[in-house]
Amino acid sequence: MKTYFKGTEVLSDKGSKVENLKRTKSIFFILFSLFFTLFSSAQQQDSTKVNQLDDVLVSAVRVTTKTPVTFSNMDKKEIKYRNLGQDIPVLMNYLPSVVTTSDAGGGIGYTGIRVRGSDATRVNVTINGIPYNDAESQGTFWVNMPDFASSVESLQLQRGVGTSTNGSGAFGASLNMLTDSYASKATGEISSSFGSFNSNKNTVKFSTGLLNDHFELAGRLSTVKSDGYVDRASSDLKSYFLQGTYVGKTTLIKALVFGGTQKTYQSWNGIDSETLNENRRYNSAGAYTDEFGNPRFYDNETDNYNQDHYQLHWSESISDKWSTNVALHYTKGKGYFENYKEDALMAEYNLAPAGDVSETDLIRQKWLDNDFYGTTFSAKYKDEKFDVILGGAWNKYEGDHYGKVIWARNASTSELGDHYYDDFSTKTDGNVFAKANYQFTEQLSLYGDLQYRRVGYKANSAETGLVDDTFNFFNPKAGLNYAFNEKNTLYFSYARANREPNRTDYEGGNVKPEKLNDFELGWRFNSEKFQLNSNFYYMGYKDQLILTGRLDDVGAPIRANTEKSYRLGFEVDATIALSEKFTLRPNFTLSSNKNVDLAVDGEYYGTTKIAYSPEVIAGNVIVYKPIERLYISLLQKYVGEQYMNNIELPAAKLADYFVNDLNVSYEIRPNAIFKSITITGMVNNILDKKYVSNGAMWDVYPYYYPQAGINFLAGLTLKF
């Protein structure tokens, strides 16, 4: 869930900060307007030598097989076969070391991802090189970008520390997404899907193609709705995507506006073991007892949020060897979640007692109104032997947190619109980096990557106390790539990462930044019919902020520093072409994830397993192509048992699970009207496995998030 934090004090200089925000936003939009002016008046040039957006826009954060970094790629073709409304983490479920979960149980609404046991706050996410993780919580809320997969050209998941990137440091993985490239010719697309739990998605896309060989306008509108597998875990999601592109001989300018609005009925509480056995779809959110003793559910126990993103990218090829990219970005987010609270203490909501009455039923809203803006930049030099990238970013977050009581049975002297808490927070994040890859010999290349990052964070609330911290991080990385021949490559790398605490971490007090040393040793084999990637990794942590399994009063995960811990693992993924019709894509991870000399609340536990870190994760995709343009895929995922806390309490163990999905896609290419008609079907959990992918601990009592049994989605896409 989003963290709409509670505070009881207002920063003394909040007013001046708001004025500074207004001035900064004005300057930002002036710069934005200037870039648009240049965009619209740019001299038309010959478009026969166009830099691909991938090469310039995301080269600062992506890697290739010549870089000693462990990674996986997904392209638009692979995404489209299963893009029926489920979130991006669900579409990534079959990548190595990935575990996904869904609060509503069906992959629509709030979804999460873990990589090598590291939760979403450790996965650095960028969109066209622009940071997407929430600056304060460091989490990624995919529910704010419904159907974003329909606008993704490709994505790359780097496991481990990876290469230097913008935004919060990667402690488990980094995910960078590239949005749609421009189209040379005009296109249109209408797609609809429907399925279990009244799930449906409707999408309309268009592109003008390159007008006068230089300008393109493209866009998308989407709606996604679902009742959810869990009772009342409904989602009502809308999104849009609009981009304008200018293409010249040496210039690519891209302006993007995209965003979404979501309303989801809360399903964050989970259920206890008894309810899991008796009614696994039960949802306690919104439950209360009315004045006559009747059990009821509040019908608007919802999360409501709107987020709009603005990006402007200018990529320039200065010469055959030099290219540059500069980007401006601004994100506006605003929303709230609403709760019915029974027998709330009136004093906690700034309500004066009504005579002898000091408690009341009430409905509250917790609001978050935030702005995130900044710039990223890079310059790239490349010749036959030397490839170097210089870059960096500066970003600022300003967030206003406040609460309202919109109804109370005993309202006392309160007025509609009164705030019962206010809190204003700011975070600045700047970094510069230099990356180089030198081809020392025909077989050996050397890689170096240096980053300096400075983070400042200020906040003031009852939970966090007064926070005014500044962090200076130096993150060096180095490695080598050795190609024995055209088929076999060996690589080794070392990476150092440092990471600041998030806002919830400050609630526990005495919080420390965390440090990581990541060692990767890998072998890549590439032939016409067989590709293999394998690697060993050792991730040694100092003061790692581990998940405790507990949640705070607004459902945010509580973490705590552990002085020493590590993750040691072996990963393998392969693509095997058995014939022209059969392809296998298996992967597996074996790992040991341990806290060393763990002490909790003064009690010593020795070496224990890190919470939410299964020792075995395996996936497989079997693709059968009986005829041209007909694809039948069996997708399999196994996740081993894992603990929901760090003291290996037997009650905190989540059982392992093995799930199978069936995907069928057939494309028809008629000679008239439509360029293609694609029919897609997805049967999830075809063996109707009753499984749980996530949970939490309330003291010593486990709570679970059950996932849906057998369910289906079917879709139709028309392109013209």
Side-chain angles (χ1 to χ4, degrees):
M1 63 173 293
K2 285 182 203 66
T3 46
Y4 303 82
F5 292 95
K6 176 181 176 181
T8 56
E9 300 176 66
V10 184
L11 290 179
S12 60
D13 58 345
K14 176 180 174 181
S16 62
K17 290 187 176 182
V18 172
E19 292 302 316
N20 288 338
L21 172 61
K22 292 179 179 178
R23 286 194 292 270
T24 305
K25 288 166 63 177
S26 299
I27 294 171
F28 180 83
F29 279 112
I30 289 172
L31 291 173
F32 218 109
S33 300
L34 175 61
F35 268 78
F36 265 113
T37 301
L38 291 171
F39 168 78
S40 59
S41 62
Q43 181 181 1
Q44 292 191 1
Q45 303 174 63
D46 181 12
S47 61
T48 58
K49 296 181 180 180
V50 175
N51 289 302
Q52 292 298 314
L53 185 60
D54 298 55
D55 294 337
V56 183
L57 187 61
V58 298
S59 60
V61 294
R62 282 199 175 177
V63 295
T64 68
T65 53
K66 292 185 177 181
T67 311
V69 172
T70 306
F71 69 94
S72 299
N73 291 329
M74 285 183 69
D75 60 20
K76 197 175 193 68
K77 182 179 179 181
E78 185 175 354
I79 293 171
K80 75 175 184 179
Y81 292 136
R82 295 185 285 120
N83 183 21
L84 298 170
Q86 294 177 307
D87 279 348
I88 286 177
V90 179
L91 299 178
M92 296 172 56
N93 184 49
Y94 302 96
L95 294 181
S97 296
V98 168
V99 176
T100 63
T101 187
S102 168
D103 283 6
I108 298 175
Y110 273 93
T111 57
I113 186 171
R114 296 192 182 101
V115 183
R116 291 185 177 177
S118 297
D119 67 281
T121 64
R122 313 306 192 81
V123 180
N124 172 281
V125 179
T126 57
I127 300 173
N128 300 325
I130 305 298
Y132 179 66
N133 297 67
D134 178 75
E136 282 196 285
S137 71
Q138 301 173 1
T140 304
F141 303 104
W142 302 99
V143 70
N144 297 335
M145 298 196 304
D147 196 30
F148 192 70
S150 292
S151 295
V152 171
E153 186 73 23
S154 64
L155 60 84
Q156 182 178 89
L157 180 69
Q158 299 172 15
R159 302 189 296 279
V161 172
T163 185
S164 286
T165 188
N166 301 313
S168 56
F171 253 57
S174 56
L175 169 65
N176 58 76
M177 296 180 288
L178 176 68
T179 56
D180 282 342
S181 182
Y182 62 88
S184 299
K185 297 181 180 180
T187 62
E189 180 179 320
I190 299 173
S191 63
S192 293
S193 62
F194 67 94
S196 302
F197 322 122
N198 289 321
S199 301
N200 64 84
K201 177 180 82 77
N202 296 285
T203 302
V204 177
K205 293 184 67 176
F206 77 92
S207 169
T208 63
L210 286 178
L211 304 175
N212 297 323
D213 294 326
H214 291 285
F215 293 94
E216 184 228 28
L217 184 67
R220 171 185 58 82
L221 291 174
S222 299
T223 64
V224 181
K225 294 185 178 181
S226 177
D227 290 345
Y229 168 71
V230 174
D231 183 31
R232 290 171 289 108
S234 59
S235 299
D236 186 356
L237 319 174
K238 300 177 179 65
S239 68
Y240 67 94
F241 181 91
L242 184 66
Q243 68 177 12
T245 305
Y246 168 78
V247 179
K249 181 179 180 180
T250 61
T251 303
L252 182 63
I253 302 176
K254 199 156 190 156
L256 303 94
V257 181
F258 59 91
T261 181
Q262 61 95 358
K263 182 173 185 175
T264 56
Y265 197 98
Q266 296 168 23
S267 53
W268 307 325
N269 296 347
I271 55 177
D272 60 24
S273 56
E274 182 178 353
T275 306
L276 180 67
N277 294 326
E278 295 178 354
N279 181 11
R280 59 187 289 111
R281 301 179 69 172
Y282 178 75
N283 182 8
S284 64
Y288 71 97
T289 303
D290 66 19
E291 292 298 286
F292 303 102
N294 301 312
R296 300 180 63 175
F297 291 95
Y298 180 50
D299 60 4
N300 200 37
E301 190 94 352
T302 57
D303 181 67
N304 306 263
Y305 202 75
N306 186 80
Q307 195 173 70
D308 299 292
H309 301 257
Y310 306 86
Q311 296 184 2
L312 184 63
H313 299 269
W314 189 312
S315 299
E316 193 74 31
S317 179
I318 299 174
S319 67
D320 290 340
K321 296 182 178 180
W322 280 98
S323 60
T324 61
N325 174 259
V326 62
L328 296 173
H329 69 89
Y330 171 61
T331 300
K332 176 62 180 179
K334 187 173 184 178
Y336 64 92
F337 75 75
E338 188 168 307
N339 287 105
Y340 189 102
K341 302 293 291 183
E342 270 193 292
D343 300 326
L345 292 174
M346 298 173 71
E348 291 186 359
Y349 295 87
N350 293 338
L351 301 175
D356 295 332
V357 179
S358 60
E359 296 181 348
T360 181
D361 289 3
L362 57 82
I363 299 171
R364 69 176 183 182
Q365 292 180 345
K366 287 194 169 188
W367 282 81
L368 174 60
D369 186 351
N370 57 14
D371 300 85
F372 179 64
Y373 51 92
T375 181
T376 66
F377 48 88
S378 64
K380 181 178 181 179
Y381 173 84
K382 185 175 183 179
D383 61 20
E384 291 182 359
K385 289 190 174 183
F386 195 51
D387 187 345
V388 62
I389 299 174
L390 305 175
W394 180 89
N395 304 298
K396 189 169 186 178
Y397 170 93
E398 297 181 310
D400 192 8
H401 307 268
Y402 57 92
K404 296 179 180 180
V405 175
I406 63 170
W407 173 86
R409 193 173 301 280
N410 299 296
S412 183
T413 57
S414 65
E415 296 291 338
L416 188 63
D418 285 352
H419 292 189
Y420 68 91
Y421 71 88
D422 282 277
D423 177 23
F424 193 80
S425 56
T426 62
K427 184 175 183 179
T428 56
D429 186 346
N431 82 89
V432 290
F433 61 81
K435 309 177 188 181
N437 211 329
Y438 180 68
Q439 195 69 38
F440 194 73
T441 68
E442 290 186 1
Q443 294 176 303
L444 178 65
S445 63
L446 306 178
Y447 172 76
D449 183 344
L450 301 176
Q451 183 196 54
Y452 168 72
R453 181 168 175 250
R454 181 179 176 88
V455 180
Y457 180 57
K458 295 182 180 181
N460 190 356
S461 77
E463 283 81 4
T464 65
L466 179 63
V467 179
D468 188 357
D469 274 348
T470 300
F471 303 95
N472 294 281
F473 298 136
F474 176 58
N475 302 313
K477 307 171 183 68
L480 56 85
N481 227 51
Y482 187 81
F484 291 94
N485 49 47
E486 292 182 355
K487 295 181 179 181
N488 293 277
T489 302
L490 186 71
Y491 68 88
F492 172 76
S493 67
Y494 162 77
R496 171 80 165 184
N498 295 270
R499 189 178 176 88
E500 74 278 10
N502 71 12
R503 178 161 177 157
T504 306
D505 296 330
Y506 282 98
E507 296 180 14
N510 301 316
V511 66
K512 302 175 185 177
E514 46 190 344
K515 306 171 183 65
L516 167 62
N517 293 302
D518 180 19
F519 299 87
E520 306 273 338
L521 175 63
W523 170 49
R524 297 183 176 115
F525 177 83
N526 186 13
S527 67
E528 183 179 353
K529 294 186 177 182
F530 181 55
Q531 294 87 45
L532 175 70
N533 301 296
S534 62
N535 65 283
F536 291 95
Y537 64 87
Y538 175 79
M539 303 168 70
Y541 298 86
K542 169 67 174 171
D543 297 321
Q544 182 183 181
L545 283 161
I546 53 174
L547 292 171
T548 63
R550 295 180 291 120
L551 306 176
D552 66 11
D553 63 343
V554 293
I558 295 174
R559 306 188 301 184
N561 288 116
T562 181
E563 184 176 357
K564 185 178 180 181
S565 56
Y566 67 86
R567 300 182 188 275
L568 173 66
F570 176 53
E571 297 171 320
V572 174
D573 70 276
T575 300
I576 307 166
L578 298 178
S579 67
E580 292 183 357
K581 295 184 178 181
F582 274 103
T583 302
L584 302 181
R585 295 173 56 193
N587 66 75
F588 68 85
T589 301
L590 304 176
S591 65
S592 176
N593 312 278
K594 298 294 179 65
N595 301 295
V596 179
D597 297 328
L598 178 70
V600 178
D601 298 329
E603 187 171 350
Y604 177 75
Y605 290 93
T607 298
T608 66
K609 296 179 180 179
I610 299 176
Y612 301 101
S613 301
E615 295 181 342
V616 181
I617 303 172
N620 187 30
V621 179
I622 305 171
V623 181
Y624 175 52
K625 186 181 175 182
I627 59 174
E628 188 70 20
R629 295 189 292 275
L630 173 61
Y631 296 87
I632 303 173
S633 302
L634 178 65
L635 304 103
Q636 302 174 301
K637 189 72 176 186
Y638 173 81
V639 177
E641 63 181 27
Q642 54 190 302
Y643 284 96
M644 295 185 290
N645 65 15
N646 295 280
I647 62 174
E648 300 182 7
L649 190 70
K653 183 183 290 187
L654 280 178
D656 62 342
Y657 58 88
F658 179 50
V659 180
N660 294 265
D661 301 336
L662 181 66
N663 181 213
V664 180
S665 180
Y666 181 57
E667 183 183 10
I668 304 169
R669 294 181 180 174
N671 296 323
I673 304 177
F674 300 109
K675 291 181 180 178
S676 75
I677 301 172
T678 303
I679 303 168
T680 307
M682 190 86 188
V683 183
N684 299 297
N685 196 359
I686 58 176
L687 300 180
D688 198 26
K689 172 70 175 179
K690 300 295 188 296
Y691 73 104
V692 173
S693 61
N694 194 21
M697 297 297 294
W698 296 95
D699 192 22
V700 297
Y701 302 103
Y703 276 69
Y704 304 101
Y705 297 89
Q707 304 299 287
I710 186 170
N711 63 95
F712 76 91
L713 291 164
L716 177 68
T717 299
L718 307 174
K719 293 184 178 181
F720 49 89

